[in-house]
Amino acid sequence: MSDYKIKSRIWIEVGDNVLVGEGRVKLLKEIEAQGSLSKAAKSIGMSYKKAWTLIDAVNKSAKEAVVTTSVGGQKGGGTVITPYGKNLIAAFERINKKCWEFLDEEFETLNGI
């Protein structure tokens, strides 16, 4: 007999559009760490085009900008997570953690059947 597993993925939607989920949050956190969409995409094995499309979708769906970009200059351009974006990441991670804690507790009920 195999052991039971509970699988779950959550995401936050606005209307019919995905705002954030685990993948987008991973990309956002990597942008914050790298200071660049291009570097963030590369570090998680994602094409720049896909990363840009995801971030553009997040920015268009959110109440406020989640990331801002600057172009060129002496030090080059960059991508920055806004305070709203940081709060959104933190809220998603809190919800996701609580969801998994709940599922872990509920999983124990499977042992009794």
Side-chain angles (χ1 to χ4, degrees):
M1 181 175 139
S2 297
D3 291 334
Y4 292 116
K5 295 178 188 174
I6 293 179
K7 300 277 190 168
S8 176
R9 289 187 69 136
I10 65 162
W11 56 91
I12 299 170
E13 294 183 350
V14 177
D16 292 333
N17 300 316
V18 173
L19 176 60
V20 290
E22 288 181 18
R24 292 177 191 207
V25 166
K26 181 178 180 180
L27 177 58
L28 289 167
K29 288 174 77 174
E30 198 59 29
I31 290 168
E32 186 171 24
Q34 301 283 343
S36 158
L37 178 59
S38 163
K39 289 178 185 173
K42 189 174 188 177
S43 75
I44 62 172
M46 183 182 289
S47 75
Y48 175 81
K49 183 179 182 339
K50 177 166 177 135
W52 188 90
T53 301
L54 289 174
I55 293 306
D56 188 50
V58 170
N59 263 350
K60 286 179 177 172
S61 297
K63 292 177 185 176
E64 297 179 28
V66 174
V67 301
T68 57
T69 58
S70 59
V71 182
Q74 251 184 333
K75 295 182 181 178
T79 306
V80 176
I81 306 297
T82 65
Y84 177 80
K86 290 177 183 181
N87 288 337
L88 184 62
I89 291 167
F92 175 83
E93 289 185 324
R94 194 169 43 254
I95 292 165
N96 198 35
K97 182 176 184 265
K98 288 185 180 212
C99 179
W100 277 106
E101 287 170 356
F102 171 77
L103 291 175
D104 287 344
E105 289 170 17
E106 291 300 307
F107 181 71
E108 293 304 315
T109 63
L110 285 175
N111 291 332
I113 59 172

